[in-house]
Amino acid sequence: AGSTVDQLASLVQGFSIREAEQKYPNCHPDTNPFDLYRAHLTNVLTKVTGVDASLVYPALQWTTGLDKGDLILATPALRVKGKKPDVLAAEWVAAFPADDPLVEAPTVNGYFVQFFFKPLPLLKYTLPLIQQQGCHFGDNKALGLRDAQDPSKGKKTIVIEFSSPNIAKPFHAGHLRSTIIGGFLANLYAGAGWDVVRINYLGDWGKQYGLLALAFERYGDEAALERDPINHLYELYVKINKELAVEKDQMDALKKEGKTDEAAKIAETGLDEQARQYFRKMTDGDAAAVAQWRRFRDMSIVRYRDTYARLNIVFDSYSGESQVPEAAMEASAQKMAELNITEESEGALIVDFSKHVAGKEGKRLERPLVRKRDGTALYLTRDISELLSRQERYHFDKMIYVVASQQDLHLKQLFKIIELMGYQAIADKCQHINFGLVLGMSTRKGTVKFLDDILRDVADKMHEVMRANEVKYAQVENPEATADILGISAVMVQDMTGKRINNYTFDMDKMTSFEGDTGPYLQYAHARVCSIERRANLTAQDLATADPNLLNEPHAINIVRLLAQWPDVVQNTLKTLEPTTVLTYLFKMTHALSSSYDHLQVVGSEPELLKARLSLYVSARIVLNNGMRLLGLSPVDRM
Ligand code: ARG
């Protein structure tokens, strides 16, 4: 991107980009406009205040709104003693050099010094930068390097486990949220230059899969399985579970009547026992049983793949509870026994955390089972071995589990056991990203079962909404496909609007509306800029000669101020790990965009003015597109 930035840096006497990069942490003025301003202001302010750059640089903070400036300095953060903060602020403002090339004369606001960027240099710098970087504007590949000074040392690796549904069971709201949030986090870290390993840890093992195989033996339909494995397996699962429930009721009734012999007979020969035996065959490696189960698994994965592709998600690995080797669990069990982490309790093995972790925390972690009386491993046991094997396989620098907050305790127990096993360093690299519930998630056809059903239903609704505007609808080339994409955007944006931990209500009408902060609104904003671009029909070269002097209206200036923030927004998102950080910004930016159209007409303006304004809009479209893709949305060019 060199040239424009170098040009701009040359506006500032003695400013060197190389020097700024070396002097300040993660400072890259050639990809992040704010880094140039922070570096420049720090250079100036160290002289004005006499305070060391290491304190000044991080003290330059974002503002809460454009009316408060582009950057502010919190006076107390410089830790100058002996004078009141507002007095210091006034002194520094007075001593600030007149006619700074990049920023207006600073102003005092309470304890803060406010800086507004001068519009012209900002436009000159930011618009070409955005256009040159294109789909990479906002990336910060240097963050993922093991050693920022020496790229040959390679990238950091992050493992992100997400989605993780259970075969033959409904794909519920928790899986939906995990998929959306996990996909977003994977994009975020990839943009920051990390190697990302996306793992889907399927629920695909346990007695219930023995039961499923029995159901297939009895009622399975090969053609139905081929056609729609996910639904067919689910139907079988529901059917056989009903039978199991009947069996259980029978036994309870018999016991109540004192007919214990008859009850015991059912226990010995009934469905539950048969399922147990079948699953036993699976764990013992019986070829036919394993092959059957593998077919169910593989066929389900083929379907999942298609559905995930609609959300722009590709997994690197379909792991799962079935993939954890017994031998690995045996080894972990032994280690836990040697370290006295586990103990026997009524024939089973448990971890009594109150004996290993002091105080309330030990109580809070409870006493989970790690091995049942009959010797079978549990959910937690598998997670322990799986975690350790991922470390061996990927040598990750960080691992994220995207799992509903209902499993907070489970993941706390998992990480704590890893720590107690002597792997503190590994435990420290693991993080649980949790999220709240989706309330009232049902389609018009009943309760939601699978991701496909959700997406189809929202697409249908979206199609209805689109049809309501007949004139526009007639112009859409492929309404079905558009409705599908808009529907997916609707679901995803609704999910990512609040903080992850908040519950939200699945509201079909609200999410599919073009009004309000919705997915369709973002898509509309994107399509609208694209249409302006098409109609203006200029080349990249035309745009490169755009004259920023013609962009002097407040609307234009506010837009470029917002666009310049994008790389910082991405970096802040790496701290919050909240999709809402991105969405809040995108809505702010698209609101500024829509309110500008009446003031900044493009098509029909003088050629030079048209060029300048289009340059602004193209830059806005690039940022919007990058933001939407970061969230996992597929921006549409027309609708
Ligand atoms: N399959 C599990 C469920 O549906 C989620 C798996 C979460 N990940 C893990 N490593 N335990 O509840």
Side-chain angles (χ1 to χ4, degrees):
S3 61
T4 34
V5 187
D6 290 342
Q7 250 175 40
L8 195 82
S10 71
L11 273 178
V12 187
Q13 283 266 305
F15 185 88
S16 145
I17 289 181
R18 292 260 75 212
E19 199 183 292
E21 281 175 342
Q22 265 150 22
K23 209 155 140 196
Y24 304 121
N26 188 34
C27 177
H28 303 282
D30 54 349
T31 52
N32 182 349
F34 267 67
D35 282 348
L36 173 74
Y37 288 88
R38 267 190 292 260
H40 166 64
L41 279 173
T42 304
N43 290 347
V44 177
L45 286 167
T46 45
K47 289 186 203 125
V48 168
T49 63
V51 175
D52 193 75
S54 62
L55 282 181
V56 177
Y57 192 80
L60 287 163
Q61 300 280 348
W62 306 309
T63 63
T64 49
L66 294 178
D67 57 322
K68 308 250 172 18
D70 295 289
L71 281 170
I72 45 164
L73 178 76
T75 311
L78 300 200
R79 300 188 213 145
V80 175
K81 300 220 170 69
K83 278 184 191 159
K84 289 209 167 128
D86 47 340
V87 176
L88 279 171
E91 279 182 20
W92 293 341
V93 163
F96 200 85
D99 255 339
D100 184 274
L102 296 187
V103 300
E104 311 277 10
T107 47
V108 179
N109 184 356
Y111 287 10
F112 296 99
V113 181
Q114 295 176 318
F115 300 96
F116 287 82
F117 300 165
K118 284 188 171 164
L120 195 56
L122 182 67
L123 284 158
K124 271 190 192 165
Y125 170 28
T126 308
L127 301 185
L129 181 71
I130 295 174
Q131 288 162 34
Q132 279 163 21
Q133 304 238 309
C135 63
H136 294 297
F137 179 62
D139 283 359
N140 194 340
K141 301 285 187 203
L143 285 176
L145 294 174
R146 282 177 196 282
D147 180 346
Q149 304 303 323
D150 181 3
S152 72
K153 294 217 172 108
K155 300 184 200 174
K156 290 190 264 190
T157 297
I158 182 166
V159 172
I160 305 183
E161 186 218 280
F162 63 107
S163 197
S164 308
N166 305 320
I167 288 179
K169 291 195 209 166
F171 189 104
H172 56 65
H175 301 125
L176 175 71
R177 296 209 73 187
S178 173
T179 308
I180 293 172
I181 295 167
F184 155 75
L185 292 173
N187 295 339
L188 182 68
Y189 277 93
W194 290 59
D195 268 333
V196 182
V197 182
R198 298 159 172 86
I199 295 185
N200 197 331
Y201 184 69
L202 298 172
D204 58 358
W205 204 237
K207 196 172 73 182
Q208 65 266 36
Y209 295 97
L211 188 65
L212 183 68
L214 287 183
F216 190 76
E217 271 176 8
R218 289 181 196 180
Y219 318 110
D221 173 344
E222 195 55 42
L225 181 71
E226 300 273 344
R227 204 168 43 240
D228 189 351
I230 293 185
N231 270 303
H232 187 55
L233 292 176
Y234 176 66
E235 280 162 19
L236 293 178
Y237 186 82
V238 170
K239 192 170 165 120
I240 201 85
N241 269 293
K242 274 201 191 116
E243 288 177 26
L244 191 66
V246 171
E247 178 178 292
K248 199 173 167 288
D249 287 348
Q250 253 174 2
M251 276 170 64
D252 288 348
L254 287 171
K255 277 186 206 156
K256 230 187 222 155
E257 293 164 30
K259 299 179 180 164
T260 37
D261 282 0
E262 282 175 55
K265 200 167 202 171
I266 296 181
E268 274 163 33
T269 58
L271 205 49
D272 189 57
E273 176 57 22
Q274 289 171 40
R276 205 186 60 77
Q277 281 174 16
Y278 194 104
F279 181 59
R280 190 62 197 253
K281 282 204 288 186
M282 288 161 65
T283 50
D284 287 348
D286 176 278
V290 170
Q292 177 71 295
W293 163 84
R294 176 155 282 288
R295 227 159 62 89
F296 295 160
R297 181 181 201 267
D298 289 349
M299 290 169 97
S300 302
I301 290 176
V302 169
R303 283 311 158 91
Y304 282 136
R305 269 209 181 95
D306 288 346
T307 310
Y308 289 128
R310 298 172 68 188
L311 306 177
N312 303 316
I313 290 168
V314 178
F315 284 97
D316 299 290
S317 159
Y318 282 84
S319 130
E321 293 174 42
S322 68
Q323 304 300 296
V324 184
E326 286 294 328
M329 287 190 285
E330 199 43 57
S332 306
Q334 226 164 48
K335 176 145 196 163
M336 289 192 284
E338 275 162 27
L339 293 168
N340 289 321
I341 299 167
T342 45
E343 64 194 80
E344 263 197 44
S345 168
E346 296 166 44
L349 275 184
I350 63 155
V351 178
D352 183 348
F353 279 107
S354 66
K355 295 184 182 153
H356 308 286
V357 180
K360 274 193 192 147
E361 184 62 11
K363 276 227 166 59
R364 234 179 272 145
L365 285 166
E366 300 182 5
R367 306 163 79 237
L369 270 179
V370 288
R371 207 162 263 271
K372 283 204 273 191
R373 224 177 340 175
D374 65 6
T376 44
L378 289 131
Y379 184 50
L380 179 59
T381 331
R382 295 183 190 285
D383 260 324
I384 296 168
S385 292
E386 170 75 7
L387 190 160
L388 294 173
S389 90
R390 285 180 196 170
Q391 171 60 30
E392 276 187 14
R393 181 147 170 213
Y394 302 110
H395 303 285
F396 58 78
D397 298 277
K398 186 174 172 77
M399 173 151 68
I400 285 178
Y401 290 80
V402 190
V403 185
S405 60
Q406 284 117 309
Q407 296 194 27
D408 280 358
L409 179 62
H410 171 75
L411 286 144
K412 279 206 184 94
Q413 291 169 338
L414 170 63
F415 299 161
K416 189 50 99 182
I417 288 175
I418 296 296
E419 202 182 301
L420 293 173
M421 286 172 83
Y423 304 116
Q424 174 86 51
I426 300 178
D428 287 346
K429 293 191 279 189
C430 295
Q431 184 178 10
H432 176 202
I433 290 291
N434 59 2
F435 50 82
L437 306 170
V438 184
L439 308 170
M441 193 166 92
S442 57
T443 64
R444 289 167 293 177
K445 288 166 202 123
T447 351
V448 171
K449 290 191 202 79
F450 297 104
L451 183 51
D452 270 335
D453 303 332
I454 307 166
L455 300 183
R456 191 182 314 126
D457 210 57
V458 180
D460 286 350
K461 171 78 192 183
M462 204 62 235
H463 203 163
E464 262 170 42
V465 174
M466 285 162 64
R467 244 190 299 231
N469 187 336
E470 276 176 47
V471 185
K472 265 184 130 191
Y473 183 76
Q475 293 166 1
V476 182
E477 262 171 55
N478 189 344
E480 254 96 39
T482 307
D484 195 55
I485 296 180
L486 294 186
I488 291 170
S489 305
V491 173
M492 292 178 70
V493 167
Q494 168 158 280
D495 192 276
M496 298 193 277
T497 292
K499 281 222 172 117
R500 290 187 324 258
I501 197 65
N502 294 343
N503 301 343
Y504 72 85
T505 305
F506 195 82
D507 186 335
M508 190 78 100
D509 291 324
K510 206 164 134 195
M511 75 169 99
T512 52
S513 167
F514 284 100
E515 274 141 47
D517 290 347
T518 65
Y521 173 84
L522 274 190
Q523 290 284 14
Y524 174 74
H526 185 264
R528 185 162 180 189
V529 203
C530 288
S531 132
I532 295 174
E533 260 179 270
R534 274 195 304 272
R535 281 188 292 149
N537 194 24
L538 297 186
T539 65
Q541 259 157 335
D542 292 332
L543 293 180
T545 60
D547 180 0
N549 284 293
L550 301 176
L551 295 171
N552 46 21
E553 298 88 349
H555 281 96
I557 293 163
N558 281 346
I559 289 174
V560 74
R561 291 171 70 200
L562 287 169
L563 298 183
Q565 292 176 357
W566 173 241
D568 262 17
V569 171
V570 178
Q571 282 187 53
N572 188 30
T573 310
L574 277 157
K575 294 200 186 99
T576 64
L577 301 183
E578 292 276 2
T580 186
T581 310
V582 174
L583 264 181
T584 305
Y585 167 81
L586 289 184
F587 284 122
K588 212 191 291 172
M589 200 270 275
T590 46
H591 292 160
L593 209 56
S594 5
S595 62
S596 74
Y597 290 126
D598 285 344
H599 306 269
L600 309 174
Q601 199 195 349
V602 178
V603 182
S605 295
E606 296 296 307
E608 282 303 310
L609 191 58
L610 182 149
K611 213 159 58 172
R613 287 181 178 170
L614 192 68
S615 169
L616 180 73
Y617 284 135
V618 166
S619 305
R621 190 259 302 152
I622 292 172
V623 171
L624 178 55
N625 190 290
N626 292 359
M628 289 173 76
R629 281 184 304 99
L630 174 57
L631 294 171
L633 308 174
S634 311
V636 296
D637 292 355
R638 301 169 193 264
M639 57 188 250

